[in-house]
Amino acid sequence: MKKKISVTIPVYNEEKNLKKLLERILIVMEGLGCEFEIIFINDGSRDDSKKHMDRFARKNKNVRVIHFTRNFGQTAAMMAGFDHASGDVIVPMDADLQNDPEDIPLLLAELEKGYDVCSGWRKKRHDSIKRKISSSLANKLISKISGVKLKDYGCTLKAYRKSVIKGVKLYGEMHRFIPIYASWEGAKISEIPVRHHPRVHGSSSYGFERTFKVLLDLIVIVFLDNWVYKPIYLFGGFGFLNFCVSFASFLYATYLKIFQNVSYIQTPLPLLTTMTIVTGIICILMGLLAEMVMRTYYEAQKKKAYLVRETRNLGDRF
């Protein structure tokens, strides 16, 4: 049985691109000969994008439309697409015609080789030099920190087996980190070159502030990857470090008083001792609080702290 494909498209003020985009996607999907759906997510567009998407849905039963009450951002729009997709494979892409729908079969073919995620790599980008440089640096940083080596995290055009992103919750600018989330689920990830076209209509919403947000989200990713299951190790470790500093400064102050006849009041050591011991206590308490929060999170939702790929002779026990 052939798989069903869900193409999800976040839209924000792209009225001049939508008609051509839909035509090109339909040609590709109908050529594949499989069951499919195209989901437009209207992220609070202020132009006539809503009118165009509603017309598409009336004319074609394979087109679905989700309208947000306001602009929530690309990550929220992609999350809505994932939540409402019914396909076995989900292919997100941009609405600005810079992604090429003709690359979709290439992504799907890569999944057929046994991969769970196929990420597009805009090898020949039609963007400004400034954006290319900042993107290259960000990709190298994310790959280094996360351990998931991709050349182009920012390319929206990807293909995911729904099973590896089921239950993923995204916030901020975290849509570009979806392959990292998938890798935590044990997904096999591939990356292939895809075409990238110059923007003809509309304007990009990318700016320096987004780069700043991405860096902050990367800090969250590192925390989730390393400490989410045992936050006491992070907070407790930093607290223990503060205790060590406090003890060392106390010993040094005592040494100065006994052997150097220097009054500890004349040095910042008493203040350092007090501040570090208080900080250490606070960190330990924060770690305990974080442990309680995480345990409540998992137990209230009956979540397990492990993932099972497959079983043998266990029936429906899982």
PDB file of all heavy atoms in Angstrom, residues 5 89-93 99-121 155-161 190-194:
ATOM      1  N   ILE A   5       1.032  11.231   1.634  1.00  0.00           N
ATOM      2  CA  ILE A   5       1.971  12.327   1.831  1.00  0.00           C
ATOM      3  C   ILE A   5       1.208  13.588   2.238  1.00  0.00           C
ATOM      4  O   ILE A   5       0.207  13.945   1.622  1.00  0.00           O
ATOM      5  CB  ILE A   5       2.772  12.623   0.540  1.00  0.00           C
ATOM      6  CG1 ILE A   5       3.338  11.337  -0.053  1.00  0.00           C
ATOM      7  CG2 ILE A   5       3.876  13.641   0.825  1.00  0.00           C
ATOM      8  CD1 ILE A   5       4.282  10.595   0.841  1.00  0.00           C
ATOM      9  N   VAL A  89       3.976  10.416   5.764  1.00  0.00           N
ATOM     10  CA  VAL A  89       5.167  11.242   5.586  1.00  0.00           C
ATOM     11  C   VAL A  89       4.732  12.698   5.518  1.00  0.00           C
ATOM     12  O   VAL A  89       3.753  13.031   4.845  1.00  0.00           O
ATOM     13  CB  VAL A  89       5.933  10.861   4.300  1.00  0.00           C
ATOM     14  CG1 VAL A  89       7.100  11.824   4.061  1.00  0.00           C
ATOM     15  CG2 VAL A  89       6.440   9.425   4.385  1.00  0.00           C
ATOM     16  N   ILE A  90       5.453  13.568   6.221  1.00  0.00           N
ATOM     17  CA  ILE A  90       5.134  14.996   6.231  1.00  0.00           C
ATOM     18  C   ILE A  90       6.268  15.759   5.562  1.00  0.00           C
ATOM     19  O   ILE A  90       7.439  15.580   5.907  1.00  0.00           O
ATOM     20  CB  ILE A  90       4.925  15.513   7.666  1.00  0.00           C
ATOM     21  CG1 ILE A  90       3.812  14.722   8.353  1.00  0.00           C
ATOM     22  CG2 ILE A  90       4.593  17.002   7.654  1.00  0.00           C
ATOM     23  CD1 ILE A  90       3.603  15.103   9.805  1.00  0.00           C
ATOM     24  N   VAL A  91       5.898  16.609   4.599  1.00  0.00           N
ATOM     25  CA  VAL A  91       6.887  17.405   3.867  1.00  0.00           C
ATOM     26  C   VAL A  91       6.560  18.885   4.059  1.00  0.00           C
ATOM     27  O   VAL A  91       5.678  19.424   3.398  1.00  0.00           O
ATOM     28  CB  VAL A  91       6.886  17.064   2.364  1.00  0.00           C
ATOM     29  CG1 VAL A  91       7.943  17.906   1.636  1.00  0.00           C
ATOM     30  CG2 VAL A  91       7.143  15.582   2.146  1.00  0.00           C
ATOM     31  N   PRO A  92       7.244  19.576   4.970  1.00  0.00           N
ATOM     32  CA  PRO A  92       7.024  21.025   5.110  1.00  0.00           C
ATOM     33  C   PRO A  92       7.821  21.781   4.056  1.00  0.00           C
ATOM     34  O   PRO A  92       8.906  21.340   3.647  1.00  0.00           O
ATOM     35  CB  PRO A  92       7.559  21.310   6.516  1.00  0.00           C
ATOM     36  CG  PRO A  92       8.585  20.261   6.745  1.00  0.00           C
ATOM     37  CD  PRO A  92       8.158  19.043   5.997  1.00  0.00           C
ATOM     38  N   MET A  93       7.300  22.913   3.625  1.00  0.00           N
ATOM     39  CA  MET A  93       8.026  23.760   2.682  1.00  0.00           C
ATOM     40  C   MET A  93       7.541  25.194   2.806  1.00  0.00           C
ATOM     41  O   MET A  93       6.476  25.465   3.359  1.00  0.00           O
ATOM     42  CB  MET A  93       7.862  23.244   1.247  1.00  0.00           C
ATOM     43  CG  MET A  93       6.455  23.293   0.703  1.00  0.00           C
ATOM     44  SD  MET A  93       6.347  22.575  -0.964  1.00  0.00           S
ATOM     45  CE  MET A  93       7.512  23.597  -1.871  1.00  0.00           C
ATOM     46  N   ASN A  99      11.606  27.309  -2.340  1.00  0.00           N
ATOM     47  CA  ASN A  99      11.697  25.850  -2.375  1.00  0.00           C
ATOM     48  C   ASN A  99      11.052  25.351  -3.655  1.00  0.00           C
ATOM     49  O   ASN A  99      10.078  25.938  -4.140  1.00  0.00           O
ATOM     50  CB  ASN A  99      10.975  25.226  -1.183  1.00  0.00           C
ATOM     51  CG  ASN A  99      11.654  25.517   0.141  1.00  0.00           C
ATOM     52  OD1 ASN A  99      10.999  25.619   1.170  1.00  0.00           O
ATOM     53  ND2 ASN A  99      12.975  25.660   0.140  1.00  0.00           N
ATOM     54  N   ASP A 100      11.582  24.268  -4.215  1.00  0.00           N
ATOM     55  CA  ASP A 100      11.059  23.731  -5.472  1.00  0.00           C
ATOM     56  C   ASP A 100      10.277  22.445  -5.205  1.00  0.00           C
ATOM     57  O   ASP A 100      10.853  21.462  -4.720  1.00  0.00           O
ATOM     58  CB  ASP A 100      12.216  23.443  -6.438  1.00  0.00           C
ATOM     59  CG  ASP A 100      11.748  23.261  -7.873  1.00  0.00           C
ATOM     60  OD1 ASP A 100      10.661  22.680  -8.061  1.00  0.00           O
ATOM     61  OD2 ASP A 100      12.459  23.701  -8.789  1.00  0.00           O
ATOM     62  N   PRO A 101       8.963  22.418  -5.508  1.00  0.00           N
ATOM     63  CA  PRO A 101       8.168  21.198  -5.289  1.00  0.00           C
ATOM     64  C   PRO A 101       8.708  19.991  -6.040  1.00  0.00           C
ATOM     65  O   PRO A 101       8.470  18.846  -5.633  1.00  0.00           O
ATOM     66  CB  PRO A 101       6.778  21.602  -5.819  1.00  0.00           C
ATOM     67  CG  PRO A 101       6.738  23.088  -5.680  1.00  0.00           C
ATOM     68  CD  PRO A 101       8.134  23.545  -5.976  1.00  0.00           C
ATOM     69  N   GLU A 102       9.448  20.211  -7.121  1.00  0.00           N
ATOM     70  CA  GLU A 102       9.988  19.085  -7.892  1.00  0.00           C
ATOM     71  C   GLU A 102      11.056  18.310  -7.125  1.00  0.00           C
ATOM     72  O   GLU A 102      11.468  17.224  -7.546  1.00  0.00           O
ATOM     73  CB  GLU A 102      10.551  19.589  -9.222  1.00  0.00           C
ATOM     74  CG  GLU A 102       9.473  20.118 -10.167  1.00  0.00           C
ATOM     75  CD  GLU A 102      10.033  20.523 -11.513  1.00  0.00           C
ATOM     76  OE1 GLU A 102      11.230  20.264 -11.764  1.00  0.00           O
ATOM     77  OE2 GLU A 102       9.288  21.100 -12.314  1.00  0.00           O
ATOM     78  N   ASP A 103      11.512  18.865  -5.999  1.00  0.00           N
ATOM     79  CA  ASP A 103      12.477  18.146  -5.166  1.00  0.00           C
ATOM     80  C   ASP A 103      11.799  17.174  -4.203  1.00  0.00           C
ATOM     81  O   ASP A 103      12.487  16.353  -3.586  1.00  0.00           O
ATOM     82  CB  ASP A 103      13.323  19.146  -4.358  1.00  0.00           C
ATOM     83  CG  ASP A 103      14.343  19.881  -5.210  1.00  0.00           C
ATOM     84  OD1 ASP A 103      14.909  19.247  -6.121  1.00  0.00           O
ATOM     85  OD2 ASP A 103      14.562  21.080  -4.981  1.00  0.00           O
ATOM     86  N   ILE A 104      10.486  17.266  -4.078  1.00  0.00           N
ATOM     87  CA  ILE A 104       9.774  16.382  -3.148  1.00  0.00           C
ATOM     88  C   ILE A 104      10.008  14.908  -3.457  1.00  0.00           C
ATOM     89  O   ILE A 104      10.304  14.122  -2.546  1.00  0.00           O
ATOM     90  CB  ILE A 104       8.267  16.709  -3.120  1.00  0.00           C
ATOM     91  CG1 ILE A 104       8.044  18.103  -2.514  1.00  0.00           C
ATOM     92  CG2 ILE A 104       7.494  15.658  -2.324  1.00  0.00           C
ATOM     93  CD1 ILE A 104       6.597  18.565  -2.508  1.00  0.00           C
ATOM     94  N   PRO A 105       9.906  14.468  -4.738  1.00  0.00           N
ATOM     95  CA  PRO A 105      10.171  13.045  -5.017  1.00  0.00           C
ATOM     96  C   PRO A 105      11.578  12.604  -4.614  1.00  0.00           C
ATOM     97  O   PRO A 105      11.778  11.449  -4.227  1.00  0.00           O
ATOM     98  CB  PRO A 105       9.986  12.957  -6.544  1.00  0.00           C
ATOM     99  CG  PRO A 105       9.057  14.082  -6.885  1.00  0.00           C
ATOM    100  CD  PRO A 105       9.440  15.179  -5.940  1.00  0.00           C
ATOM    101  N   LEU A 106      12.555  13.505  -4.682  1.00  0.00           N
ATOM    102  CA  LEU A 106      13.923  13.160  -4.288  1.00  0.00           C
ATOM    103  C   LEU A 106      13.996  12.894  -2.790  1.00  0.00           C
ATOM    104  O   LEU A 106      14.679  11.966  -2.337  1.00  0.00           O
ATOM    105  CB  LEU A 106      14.883  14.293  -4.663  1.00  0.00           C
ATOM    106  CG  LEU A 106      14.938  14.694  -6.142  1.00  0.00           C
ATOM    107  CD1 LEU A 106      15.904  15.858  -6.343  1.00  0.00           C
ATOM    108  CD2 LEU A 106      15.361  13.495  -6.995  1.00  0.00           C
ATOM    109  N   LEU A 107      13.284  13.725  -2.013  1.00  0.00           N
ATOM    110  CA  LEU A 107      13.250  13.523  -0.564  1.00  0.00           C
ATOM    111  C   LEU A 107      12.567  12.208  -0.215  1.00  0.00           C
ATOM    112  O   LEU A 107      13.035  11.453   0.647  1.00  0.00           O
ATOM    113  CB  LEU A 107      12.515  14.688   0.109  1.00  0.00           C
ATOM    114  CG  LEU A 107      13.094  16.095  -0.088  1.00  0.00           C
ATOM    115  CD1 LEU A 107      12.164  17.136   0.524  1.00  0.00           C
ATOM    116  CD2 LEU A 107      14.471  16.204   0.545  1.00  0.00           C
ATOM    117  N   LEU A 108      11.461  11.925  -0.891  1.00  0.00           N
ATOM    118  CA  LEU A 108      10.719  10.694  -0.623  1.00  0.00           C
ATOM    119  C   LEU A 108      11.536   9.461  -1.006  1.00  0.00           C
ATOM    120  O   LEU A 108      11.499   8.440  -0.309  1.00  0.00           O
ATOM    121  CB  LEU A 108       9.394  10.703  -1.397  1.00  0.00           C
ATOM    122  CG  LEU A 108       8.422  11.837  -1.045  1.00  0.00           C
ATOM    123  CD1 LEU A 108       7.169  11.748  -1.913  1.00  0.00           C
ATOM    124  CD2 LEU A 108       8.049  11.792   0.432  1.00  0.00           C
ATOM    125  N   ALA A 109      12.284   9.577  -2.099  1.00  0.00           N
ATOM    126  CA  ALA A 109      13.125   8.448  -2.531  1.00  0.00           C
ATOM    127  C   ALA A 109      14.200   8.150  -1.492  1.00  0.00           C
ATOM    128  O   ALA A 109      14.572   6.986  -1.269  1.00  0.00           O
ATOM    129  CB  ALA A 109      13.774   8.773  -3.875  1.00  0.00           C
ATOM    130  N   GLU A 110      14.690   9.197  -0.835  1.00  0.00           N
ATOM    131  CA  GLU A 110      15.704   9.012   0.196  1.00  0.00           C
ATOM    132  C   GLU A 110      15.113   8.281   1.403  1.00  0.00           C
ATOM    133  O   GLU A 110      15.775   7.433   2.014  1.00  0.00           O
ATOM    134  CB  GLU A 110      16.265  10.372   0.624  1.00  0.00           C
ATOM    135  CG  GLU A 110      17.590  10.318   1.341  1.00  0.00           C
ATOM    136  CD  GLU A 110      18.760   9.956   0.450  1.00  0.00           C
ATOM    137  OE1 GLU A 110      18.566   9.803  -0.778  1.00  0.00           O
ATOM    138  OE2 GLU A 110      19.871   9.810   0.984  1.00  0.00           O
ATOM    139  N   LEU A 111      13.857   8.587   1.741  1.00  0.00           N
ATOM    140  CA  LEU A 111      13.205   7.874   2.845  1.00  0.00           C
ATOM    141  C   LEU A 111      13.042   6.396   2.510  1.00  0.00           C
ATOM    142  O   LEU A 111      13.103   5.537   3.405  1.00  0.00           O
ATOM    143  CB  LEU A 111      11.841   8.485   3.149  1.00  0.00           C
ATOM    144  CG  LEU A 111      11.799   9.920   3.691  1.00  0.00           C
ATOM    145  CD1 LEU A 111      10.383  10.271   4.149  1.00  0.00           C
ATOM    146  CD2 LEU A 111      12.777  10.122   4.844  1.00  0.00           C
ATOM    147  N   GLU A 112      12.820   6.097   1.241  1.00  0.00           N
ATOM    148  CA  GLU A 112      12.655   4.702   0.822  1.00  0.00           C
ATOM    149  C   GLU A 112      13.929   3.892   1.026  1.00  0.00           C
ATOM    150  O   GLU A 112      13.903   2.659   1.032  1.00  0.00           O
ATOM    151  CB  GLU A 112      12.218   4.640  -0.648  1.00  0.00           C
ATOM    152  CG  GLU A 112      10.811   5.142  -0.900  1.00  0.00           C
ATOM    153  CD  GLU A 112       9.770   4.341  -0.138  1.00  0.00           C
ATOM    154  OE1 GLU A 112       9.893   3.094  -0.104  1.00  0.00           O
ATOM    155  OE2 GLU A 112       8.837   4.943   0.431  1.00  0.00           O
ATOM    156  N   LYS A 113      15.057   4.570   1.178  1.00  0.00           N
ATOM    157  CA  LYS A 113      16.324   3.880   1.415  1.00  0.00           C
ATOM    158  C   LYS A 113      16.475   3.458   2.879  1.00  0.00           C
ATOM    159  O   LYS A 113      17.476   2.853   3.252  1.00  0.00           O
ATOM    160  CB  LYS A 113      17.487   4.783   1.026  1.00  0.00           C
ATOM    161  CG  LYS A 113      17.553   5.122  -0.456  1.00  0.00           C
ATOM    162  CD  LYS A 113      18.727   6.052  -0.742  1.00  0.00           C
ATOM    163  CE  LYS A 113      18.780   6.452  -2.218  1.00  0.00           C
ATOM    164  NZ  LYS A 113      19.919   7.380  -2.494  1.00  0.00           N
ATOM    165  N   GLY A 114      15.491   3.835   3.697  1.00  0.00           N
ATOM    166  CA  GLY A 114      15.535   3.447   5.095  1.00  0.00           C
ATOM    167  C   GLY A 114      15.734   4.583   6.071  1.00  0.00           C
ATOM    168  O   GLY A 114      15.791   4.361   7.282  1.00  0.00           O
ATOM    169  N   TYR A 115      15.804   5.800   5.554  1.00  0.00           N
ATOM    170  CA  TYR A 115      15.954   6.961   6.435  1.00  0.00           C
ATOM    171  C   TYR A 115      14.605   7.392   6.987  1.00  0.00           C
ATOM    172  O   TYR A 115      13.552   7.146   6.383  1.00  0.00           O
ATOM    173  CB  TYR A 115      16.606   8.126   5.690  1.00  0.00           C
ATOM    174  CG  TYR A 115      18.046   7.866   5.302  1.00  0.00           C
ATOM    175  CD1 TYR A 115      18.388   7.524   4.001  1.00  0.00           C
ATOM    176  CD2 TYR A 115      19.058   7.949   6.249  1.00  0.00           C
ATOM    177  CE1 TYR A 115      19.711   7.270   3.646  1.00  0.00           C
ATOM    178  CE2 TYR A 115      20.380   7.704   5.908  1.00  0.00           C
ATOM    179  CZ  TYR A 115      20.707   7.364   4.598  1.00  0.00           C
ATOM    180  OH  TYR A 115      22.007   7.123   4.259  1.00  0.00           O
ATOM    181  N   ASP A 116      14.632   8.048   8.138  1.00  0.00           N
ATOM    182  CA  ASP A 116      13.416   8.559   8.762  1.00  0.00           C
ATOM    183  C   ASP A 116      13.219  10.045   8.491  1.00  0.00           C
ATOM    184  O   ASP A 116      12.104  10.548   8.537  1.00  0.00           O
ATOM    185  CB  ASP A 116      13.463   8.334  10.278  1.00  0.00           C
ATOM    186  CG  ASP A 116      13.629   6.871  10.631  1.00  0.00           C
ATOM    187  OD1 ASP A 116      12.728   6.086  10.293  1.00  0.00           O
ATOM    188  OD2 ASP A 116      14.654   6.515  11.234  1.00  0.00           O
ATOM    189  N   VAL A 117      14.321  10.730   8.238  1.00  0.00           N
ATOM    190  CA  VAL A 117      14.290  12.166   7.948  1.00  0.00           C
ATOM    191  C   VAL A 117      15.220  12.431   6.777  1.00  0.00           C
ATOM    192  O   VAL A 117      16.343  11.936   6.753  1.00  0.00           O
ATOM    193  CB  VAL A 117      14.754  13.011   9.157  1.00  0.00           C
ATOM    194  CG1 VAL A 117      14.756  14.497   8.799  1.00  0.00           C
ATOM    195  CG2 VAL A 117      13.884  12.753  10.372  1.00  0.00           C
ATOM    196  N   CYS A 118      14.746  13.209   5.816  1.00  0.00           N
ATOM    197  CA  CYS A 118      15.611  13.670   4.737  1.00  0.00           C
ATOM    198  C   CYS A 118      15.545  15.194   4.724  1.00  0.00           C
ATOM    199  O   CYS A 118      14.479  15.770   4.526  1.00  0.00           O
ATOM    200  CB  CYS A 118      15.196  13.096   3.387  1.00  0.00           C
ATOM    201  SG  CYS A 118      16.323  13.613   2.058  1.00  0.00           S
ATOM    202  N   SER A 119      16.681  15.820   4.931  1.00  0.00           N
ATOM    203  CA  SER A 119      16.749  17.275   5.021  1.00  0.00           C
ATOM    204  C   SER A 119      17.278  17.867   3.724  1.00  0.00           C
ATOM    205  O   SER A 119      18.255  17.373   3.150  1.00  0.00           O
ATOM    206  CB  SER A 119      17.654  17.673   6.196  1.00  0.00           C
ATOM    207  OG  SER A 119      17.747  19.073   6.305  1.00  0.00           O
ATOM    208  N   GLY A 120      16.640  18.935   3.267  1.00  0.00           N
ATOM    209  CA  GLY A 120      17.113  19.621   2.072  1.00  0.00           C
ATOM    210  C   GLY A 120      18.319  20.500   2.380  1.00  0.00           C
ATOM    211  O   GLY A 120      18.394  21.108   3.450  1.00  0.00           O
ATOM    212  N   TRP A 121      19.240  20.566   1.437  1.00  0.00           N
ATOM    213  CA  TRP A 121      20.432  21.412   1.560  1.00  0.00           C
ATOM    214  C   TRP A 121      20.466  22.366   0.370  1.00  0.00           C
ATOM    215  O   TRP A 121      20.640  21.933  -0.767  1.00  0.00           O
ATOM    216  CB  TRP A 121      21.682  20.544   1.617  1.00  0.00           C
ATOM    217  CG  TRP A 121      22.980  21.305   1.449  1.00  0.00           C
ATOM    218  CD1 TRP A 121      23.232  22.585   1.821  1.00  0.00           C
ATOM    219  CD2 TRP A 121      24.187  20.807   0.853  1.00  0.00           C
ATOM    220  NE1 TRP A 121      24.527  22.931   1.508  1.00  0.00           N
ATOM    221  CE2 TRP A 121      25.138  21.861   0.911  1.00  0.00           C
ATOM    222  CE3 TRP A 121      24.562  19.583   0.289  1.00  0.00           C
ATOM    223  CZ2 TRP A 121      26.429  21.713   0.405  1.00  0.00           C
ATOM    224  CZ3 TRP A 121      25.846  19.444  -0.201  1.00  0.00           C
ATOM    225  CH2 TRP A 121      26.761  20.507  -0.137  1.00  0.00           C
ATOM    226  N   CYS A 155      16.849  25.216   5.992  1.00  0.00           N
ATOM    227  CA  CYS A 155      16.012  24.858   4.839  1.00  0.00           C
ATOM    228  C   CYS A 155      14.724  24.208   5.325  1.00  0.00           C
ATOM    229  O   CYS A 155      14.742  23.161   5.983  1.00  0.00           O
ATOM    230  CB  CYS A 155      16.769  23.896   3.922  1.00  0.00           C
ATOM    231  SG  CYS A 155      15.838  23.424   2.449  1.00  0.00           S
ATOM    232  N   THR A 156      13.596  24.823   5.002  1.00  0.00           N
ATOM    233  CA  THR A 156      12.307  24.284   5.452  1.00  0.00           C
ATOM    234  C   THR A 156      11.963  22.982   4.753  1.00  0.00           C
ATOM    235  O   THR A 156      11.324  22.097   5.338  1.00  0.00           O
ATOM    236  CB  THR A 156      11.195  25.313   5.188  1.00  0.00           C
ATOM    237  OG1 THR A 156      11.519  26.537   5.857  1.00  0.00           O
ATOM    238  CG2 THR A 156       9.850  24.812   5.707  1.00  0.00           C
ATOM    239  N   LEU A 157      12.391  22.832   3.500  1.00  0.00           N
ATOM    240  CA  LEU A 157      12.022  21.655   2.709  1.00  0.00           C
ATOM    241  C   LEU A 157      12.712  20.406   3.248  1.00  0.00           C
ATOM    242  O   LEU A 157      13.916  20.211   3.071  1.00  0.00           O
ATOM    243  CB  LEU A 157      12.394  21.875   1.239  1.00  0.00           C
ATOM    244  CG  LEU A 157      11.972  20.768   0.264  1.00  0.00           C
ATOM    245  CD1 LEU A 157      10.454  20.560   0.294  1.00  0.00           C
ATOM    246  CD2 LEU A 157      12.451  21.077  -1.146  1.00  0.00           C
ATOM    247  N   LYS A 158      11.932  19.572   3.900  1.00  0.00           N
ATOM    248  CA  LYS A 158      12.418  18.320   4.472  1.00  0.00           C
ATOM    249  C   LYS A 158      11.313  17.286   4.355  1.00  0.00           C
ATOM    250  O   LYS A 158      10.156  17.623   4.057  1.00  0.00           O
ATOM    251  CB  LYS A 158      12.806  18.499   5.944  1.00  0.00           C
ATOM    252  CG  LYS A 158      14.011  19.418   6.180  1.00  0.00           C
ATOM    253  CD  LYS A 158      14.260  19.596   7.668  1.00  0.00           C
ATOM    254  CE  LYS A 158      15.581  20.296   7.948  1.00  0.00           C
ATOM    255  NZ  LYS A 158      15.597  21.698   7.475  1.00  0.00           N
ATOM    256  N   ALA A 159      11.642  16.041   4.604  1.00  0.00           N
ATOM    257  CA  ALA A 159      10.635  14.978   4.640  1.00  0.00           C
ATOM    258  C   ALA A 159      10.817  14.183   5.931  1.00  0.00           C
ATOM    259  O   ALA A 159      11.941  13.782   6.265  1.00  0.00           O
ATOM    260  CB  ALA A 159      10.772  14.069   3.423  1.00  0.00           C
ATOM    261  N   TYR A 160       9.714  14.003   6.647  1.00  0.00           N
ATOM    262  CA  TYR A 160       9.749  13.288   7.928  1.00  0.00           C
ATOM    263  C   TYR A 160       8.744  12.139   7.913  1.00  0.00           C
ATOM    264  O   TYR A 160       7.605  12.307   7.459  1.00  0.00           O
ATOM    265  CB  TYR A 160       9.350  14.207   9.087  1.00  0.00           C
ATOM    266  CG  TYR A 160      10.165  15.447   9.263  1.00  0.00           C
ATOM    267  CD1 TYR A 160       9.766  16.654   8.702  1.00  0.00           C
ATOM    268  CD2 TYR A 160      11.331  15.432  10.033  1.00  0.00           C
ATOM    269  CE1 TYR A 160      10.506  17.805   8.880  1.00  0.00           C
ATOM    270  CE2 TYR A 160      12.080  16.583  10.224  1.00  0.00           C
ATOM    271  CZ  TYR A 160      11.660  17.763   9.639  1.00  0.00           C
ATOM    272  OH  TYR A 160      12.396  18.909   9.817  1.00  0.00           O
ATOM    273  N   ARG A 161       9.176  11.008   8.407  1.00  0.00           N
ATOM    274  CA  ARG A 161       8.182   9.990   8.730  1.00  0.00           C
ATOM    275  C   ARG A 161       7.421  10.500   9.949  1.00  0.00           C
ATOM    276  O   ARG A 161       8.028  10.944  10.926  1.00  0.00           O
ATOM    277  CB  ARG A 161       8.849   8.655   9.045  1.00  0.00           C
ATOM    278  CG  ARG A 161       9.577   8.041   7.867  1.00  0.00           C
ATOM    279  CD  ARG A 161      10.071   6.636   8.213  1.00  0.00           C
ATOM    280  NE  ARG A 161      10.961   6.127   7.190  1.00  0.00           N
ATOM    281  CZ  ARG A 161      10.555   5.533   6.060  1.00  0.00           C
ATOM    282  NH1 ARG A 161       9.253   5.380   5.848  1.00  0.00           N
ATOM    283  NH2 ARG A 161      11.418   5.102   5.179  1.00  0.00           N
ATOM    284  N   SER A 190      19.203  11.836   6.763  1.00  0.00           N
ATOM    285  CA  SER A 190      19.974  12.034   5.539  1.00  0.00           C
ATOM    286  C   SER A 190      19.816  13.481   5.083  1.00  0.00           C
ATOM    287  O   SER A 190      18.877  14.177   5.491  1.00  0.00           O
ATOM    288  CB  SER A 190      19.483  11.080   4.444  1.00  0.00           C
ATOM    289  OG  SER A 190      20.155  11.329   3.222  1.00  0.00           O
ATOM    290  N   GLU A 191      20.720  13.929   4.238  1.00  0.00           N
ATOM    291  CA  GLU A 191      20.654  15.286   3.693  1.00  0.00           C
ATOM    292  C   GLU A 191      21.039  15.254   2.221  1.00  0.00           C
ATOM    293  O   GLU A 191      22.046  14.637   1.846  1.00  0.00           O
ATOM    294  CB  GLU A 191      21.589  16.216   4.461  1.00  0.00           C
ATOM    295  CG  GLU A 191      21.479  17.676   4.054  1.00  0.00           C
ATOM    296  CD  GLU A 191      22.355  18.583   4.912  1.00  0.00           C
ATOM    297  OE1 GLU A 191      23.495  18.181   5.226  1.00  0.00           O
ATOM    298  OE2 GLU A 191      21.908  19.688   5.271  1.00  0.00           O
ATOM    299  N   ILE A 192      20.231  15.891   1.381  1.00  0.00           N
ATOM    300  CA  ILE A 192      20.516  15.920  -0.050  1.00  0.00           C
ATOM    301  C   ILE A 192      20.399  17.352  -0.571  1.00  0.00           C
ATOM    302  O   ILE A 192      19.655  18.163  -0.017  1.00  0.00           O
ATOM    303  CB  ILE A 192      19.555  15.007  -0.843  1.00  0.00           C
ATOM    304  CG1 ILE A 192      18.105  15.500  -0.714  1.00  0.00           C
ATOM    305  CG2 ILE A 192      19.680  13.558  -0.400  1.00  0.00           C
ATOM    306  CD1 ILE A 192      17.126  14.757  -1.626  1.00  0.00           C
ATOM    307  N   PRO A 193      21.133  17.698  -1.637  1.00  0.00           N
ATOM    308  CA  PRO A 193      21.017  19.036  -2.234  1.00  0.00           C
ATOM    309  C   PRO A 193      19.636  19.233  -2.860  1.00  0.00           C
ATOM    310  O   PRO A 193      19.091  18.309  -3.488  1.00  0.00           O
ATOM    311  CB  PRO A 193      22.113  19.049  -3.301  1.00  0.00           C
ATOM    312  CG  PRO A 193      23.042  17.935  -2.933  1.00  0.00           C
ATOM    313  CD  PRO A 193      22.186  16.893  -2.285  1.00  0.00           C
ATOM    314  N   VAL A 194      19.069  20.410  -2.666  1.00  0.00           N
ATOM    315  CA  VAL A 194      17.808  20.766  -3.303  1.00  0.00           C
ATOM    316  C   VAL A 194      17.959  22.134  -3.966  1.00  0.00           C
ATOM    317  O   VAL A 194      18.872  22.894  -3.647  1.00  0.00           O
ATOM    318  CB  VAL A 194      16.645  20.814  -2.281  1.00  0.00           C
ATOM    319  CG1 VAL A 194      16.374  19.435  -1.714  1.00  0.00           C
ATOM    320  CG2 VAL A 194      16.941  21.808  -1.160  1.00  0.00           C
TER     321      VAL A 194
END
